[in-house]
Amino acid sequence: MTDLELFGHPDSGHACKVALALALSLAGLDWRPAWVDIWAPPDSRPAAFLAASSAAEVPVLMIDGVAHAQSGAILIEIASRFRTLGGESAAGLRRGREVVLWEANRIGMCLPQLKEARRLGGAHFDPAVIDWLEGRFAVDRARFDRMLNGADFLHGAAPGIGDCAVWGYVQWLTEAGVSPSPAMAGWIERMGALPAARAPEAFFPQA
């Protein structure tokens, strides 16, 4: 049996992407979370985590003792290794790679910054930067609608790794101070209704 341990934190949308993928997996993967305080100085984080993560960043997925870093790379590894969430076919895996890489450069860039800017005690951003980030999200939201193209999920009738990737930070639109399109709002509702869906704190309970 494959041993899976995921280092993460509920405030990390990137860690939540991977946790959701593991929870959704049709392979019924048995995994355990390992809570890491991402607000603490990197050098103070658990030794096992630091040994696994050269950047001292979450998420890190340990698969049979081998560390896998970067959420997009981890999602693609899950899909291809376990043939799930799009990895069952070449076309599904291709779609997953396309969405995962798009998310990393687009929504996965602007939404975390907007969320941080509006977090109590968060980083200060010049108003012009906020305007730019909001404009960037508006473009990304329209592109999301085109990618969804009337389907239930970005992978079609069932969610895949692309849906997990986008969910990572879209789940926090309110905290980021932006609104979904009607199509995105419907997708958010369907994602939240999945039996495997959890609040971030439930994915990464503090020990």
Side-chain angles (χ1 to χ4, degrees):
M1 180 178 293
T2 304
D3 183 66
L4 298 166
E5 181 178 28
L6 177 62
F7 291 100
H9 187 280
D11 289 339
S12 169
H14 299 300
C16 288
K17 299 173 190 180
V18 179
L20 180 59
L22 291 170
L24 279 173
S25 174
L26 300 179
L29 302 177
D30 186 18
W31 64 282
R32 62 189 182 278
W35 188 90
V36 175
D37 187 357
I38 63 173
W39 302 111
D43 290 344
S44 71
R45 295 169 190 173
F49 168 70
L50 292 175
S53 175
S54 59
E57 295 176 347
V58 300
V60 171
L61 178 63
M62 303 297 296
I63 305 179
D64 290 333
V66 177
H68 296 260
Q70 296 298 319
S71 60
I74 297 171
L75 291 174
I76 293 168
E77 179 71 20
I78 290 170
S80 56
R81 178 185 291 244
F82 300 107
R83 299 185 61 80
T84 186
L85 299 174
E88 304 90 340
S89 68
L93 190 56
R94 181 172 61 251
R95 173 62 167 177
R97 286 194 298 261
E98 291 170 354
V99 178
V100 165
L101 293 175
W102 171 78
E103 185 275 341
N105 185 52
R106 302 297 306 194
I107 283 180
M109 187 285 294
C110 61
L111 283 181
Q113 305 303 322
L114 287 169
K115 180 175 179 286
E116 170 63 14
R118 290 172 168 127
R119 179 177 64 86
L120 183 64
H124 172 73
F125 289 80
D126 186 279
V129 174
I130 297 295
D131 288 345
W132 184 85
L133 289 168
E134 290 177 342
R136 176 86 176 241
F137 173 73
V139 173
D140 295 345
R141 180 177 54 201
R143 174 64 182 274
F144 172 92
D145 288 358
R146 290 180 62 86
M147 293 168 67
L148 191 64
N149 195 30
D152 285 346
F153 299 100
L154 291 165
H155 281 252
I161 56 170
D163 296 278
C164 295
V166 176
W167 175 255
Y169 281 98
V170 167
Q171 66 177 314
W172 287 311
L173 288 188
T174 299
E175 289 83 349
V178 291
S179 301
S181 64
M184 182 179 280
W187 174 83
I188 290 171
E189 184 176 352
R190 288 188 292 276
M191 289 293 290
L194 293 170
R198 301 284 186 277
E201 294 77 14
F203 275 136
F204 296 103
Q206 186 173 0

